[in-house]
Amino acid sequence: MKIRNYIQVKTVEAFHEAAKAADGPITILAGGTDVLVNGREDDVYKDCTVIDIFPVEALHGVCETENMLLIGACTTHEAISHDPLVKQYAPILAEACGAVGSLQTRNRATIGGNLANASPAADTMSALAVLHAELVIERDGEARVEPMTAIFTKPYKTNLAQNDLITTIRVPKQSPNVRYDYVKVGRRKVLSISRMTVATLLEMDNNGVVTRFDMTVGATFPRPMLFPDISAMLVGKRPSEQDIIGVAKALSDKIPEIAGIRKSTIYKQPVCRNISERSLRKLFADILK
Amino acid sequence: MSNIKLSFILNRKPYTVETDPGKRMLDVLREDLGLMGTKEGCGVGECGACTVILNGKAVTSCLVLAGQMQDAEILTIEGMRDDEIGRVIQECFVEGDAVQCGFCTPGFIMSAYALLMENPTPTRDEIRHAIAGNLCRCTGYIPITNAIEKAAKTLAK
Ligand SMILES: Cc1cc2nc3c(=O)[nH]c(=O)nc-3n(C[C@H](O)[C@H](O)[C@H](O)COP(=O)(O)OP(=O)(O)OC[C@H]3O[C@@H](n4cnc5c(N)ncnc54)[C@H](O)[C@@H]3O)c2cc1C
Ligand code: FES
Ligand code: FES
């Protein structure tokens, strides 16, 4: 692809310096699995200084604090899907990352790139939404923290400036009692761009009363979303079959409400309803008995 | 943009090439180095024909920028004959009729190689998982899965 300049950096500081020194537009390059596909069209990057951050070691890997997992933005989907900390404290994310593309794609594609690319079909978004993940974003050496869902403005658009670097994805550690389910619907078993993902995370007390509930649909809305009204439908209750049917209906009704009526609505709405019911029945199997 | 010098280890030998870092790794292999074994099918990461091993991992070389080859260790199909695992996989592909037109074969062999390097005793499901990013329009995949299974067994002896 045509580019103006290529700079490889090995530290976050070097990224900021390169971003400051560049005249004209810059493009951050991580795994390149979105950039190289976009770059095939219309010389989109011909005026860009490409800053390759994949070699920045500090942006790779997962570590933990008392309450958080800190995932480096350049950690690949394959690495996240096998990471012992992620599998222990946020297994829904391990599953979502394992559902991305093929092994070859997952070996290269990063979680930071998945978010910054802002495709509504990005597989990690629904999982990160129900996990209430946050992003650490650095501009010119200054860091800020934002909710993951806050950076997206519309499909393929974020509010990130060109010199904003996502450095870390912060994921609250989940207790072992948290139940989750992640479903991806695509056209081909692997390597398909999601038509829909449904991510659910919940916790109950010893009496089967729901203390926390988040459920969302991905690849369906212009950006990742959480629905407090849907969460409120189950929190404080010991769910019945009727509640499950009600939640699945309410969630699938969000599709025409938010995304408008499209050609796909007639397909997506019942699929969402069925998957949601199935997911909830599985998660509450012992309560519904 | 103008050329830069890229140094890397390819098939266990050091190389330095002067090339446009905005090219794809696939083009550096085929055009700059004349290594035609790595194939281009789709050019967008979906067929696996261009699979190579980059720093120990199977990746699609159509989605790696040339600049990203700097300091890397790369293995391509051309490096397979000097490697026991690579040689055995190739023999099992030929003997097991896992090759028809052959266009997809280098990509499958690189995926199989990456698998057997990491997991010398894969189950059939693990084999299928490892080659799920490679498309073949001739064989129907069963001979390919069999060949990889046989290669693993042969190597274990
Ligand atoms: C064959 C194929 C199959 C795929 N299948 C799936 C799938 O099933 N599910 C799915 O979700 N995606 C899929 N994708 C899309 C892609 O692989 C993912 O979105 C991937 O996570 C992008 O990461 P990357 O590191 O390759 O990003 P890059 O291509 O390097 O970058 C993507 C965008 O993010 C920006 N960026 C990258 N890192 C940062 C950062 N740290 N801070 C700020 N901006 C940054 C870049 O400037 C660019 O705009 C697929 C792609 C291909 C080619
Ligand atoms: S040519 Fe690279 S995956 Fe098809
Ligand atoms: S042998 Fe022809 S595509 Fe696989």
Side-chain angles (χ1 to χ4, degrees), chain A residues 127-250:
Chain A
L128 289 171
V130 294
L131 286 163
H132 293 259
E134 299 168 336
L135 305 179
V136 183
I137 300 162
E138 276 197 26
R139 183 186 303 174
D140 218 355
E142 297 240 348
R144 63 180 192 275
V145 178
E146 290 195 29
M148 184 278 295
T149 49
I151 66 163
F152 304 99
T153 51
K154 55 183 182 179
Y156 301 99
K157 286 276 175 294
T158 66
N159 59 16
L160 298 178
Q162 63 162 4
N163 56 344
D164 274 342
L165 179 72
I166 303 174
T167 58
T168 312
I169 291 82
R170 286 161 47 106
V171 178
K173 281 184 181 171
Q174 308 299 307
S175 89
N177 300 331
V178 167
R179 299 181 182 193
Y180 72 93
D181 196 37
Y182 179 85
V183 185
K184 169 170 172 167
V185 184
R187 281 195 179 149
R188 185 174 144 194
K189 203 161 176 193
V190 296
L191 255 182
S192 57
I193 301 304
S194 289
R195 302 285 128 180
M196 187 183 293
T197 58
V198 178
T200 314
L201 209 73
L202 61 91
E203 208 165 352
M204 287 180 280
D205 67 14
N206 293 338
N207 302 316
V209 174
V210 177
T211 53
R212 166 185 173 196
F213 174 60
D214 278 303
M215 187 166 197
T216 194
V217 195
T220 302
F221 304 124
R223 54 197 185 81
M225 303 187 81
L226 281 175
F227 305 108
D229 53 330
I230 299 236
S231 301
M233 290 175 81
L234 291 189
V235 172
K237 272 194 181 167
R238 193 186 149 95
S240 66
E241 174 68 21
Q242 278 317 306
D243 292 320
I244 284 173
I245 292 170
V247 168
K249 177 169 186 316

Side-chain angles (χ1 to χ4, degrees), chain A residues 29-62:
Chain A
L29 179 72
T33 60
D34 282 317
V35 168
L36 270 92
V37 173
N38 295 340
R40 286 167 62 89
E41 283 166 26
D42 303 332
D43 295 336
V44 279
Y45 299 113
K46 75 176 187 331
D47 300 321
C48 292
T49 296
V50 172
I51 307 181
D52 178 5
I53 59 167
F54 200 80
V56 179
E57 249 174 60
L59 295 179
H60 286 265
V62 181

Side-chain angles (χ1 to χ4, degrees), chain B:
Chain B
M1 72 167 284
S2 48
N3 289 353
I4 64 167
K5 219 181 241 183
L6 291 176
S7 299
F8 46 86
I9 309 282
L10 173 61
N11 297 330
R12 303 188 175 83
K13 292 191 196 92
Y15 281 78
T16 300
V17 295
E18 265 190 45
T19 193
D20 173 358
K23 273 187 173 180
R24 304 171 305 171
M25 177 178 180
L26 174 64
D27 301 324
V28 176
L29 295 172
R30 291 179 58 90
E31 291 168 8
D32 296 50
L33 298 167
L35 297 173
M36 300 300 201
T38 307
K39 305 294 186 218
E40 172 163 13
C42 64
V44 290
E46 287 180 0
C47 74
C50 66
T51 302
V52 301
I53 314 260
L54 175 62
N55 298 324
K57 307 272 178 207
V59 304
T60 47
S61 61
C62 67
L63 296 184
V64 179
L65 217 55
Q68 299 187 299
M69 296 165 77
Q70 190 71 271
D71 303 329
E73 268 185 51
I74 302 156
L75 284 172
T76 66
I77 187 70
E78 287 84 359
M80 289 296 101
R81 73 178 140 222
D82 307 321
D83 182 291
E84 199 203 348
I85 298 180
R87 219 171 31 237
V88 171
I89 298 172
Q90 283 175 299
E91 280 162 15
C92 292
F93 265 64
V94 172
E95 285 162 16
D97 291 328
V99 183
Q100 286 186 27
C101 79
F103 193 81
C104 68
T105 310
F108 271 99
I109 289 182
M110 298 318 290
S111 288
Y113 182 84
L115 169 70
L116 296 187
M117 287 295 284
E118 232 175 78
N119 176 4
T121 54
T123 61
R124 271 185 91 78
D125 264 354
E126 285 168 340
I127 294 173
R128 282 196 207 101
H129 185 76
I131 58 172
N134 294 77
L135 292 181
C136 173
R137 49 189 300 178
C138 305
T139 65
Y141 302 99
I142 292 168
I144 294 178
T145 313
N146 292 346
I148 299 171
E149 199 174 32
K150 185 163 172 222
K153 283 190 185 137
T154 310
L155 286 159
K157 276 181 200 156

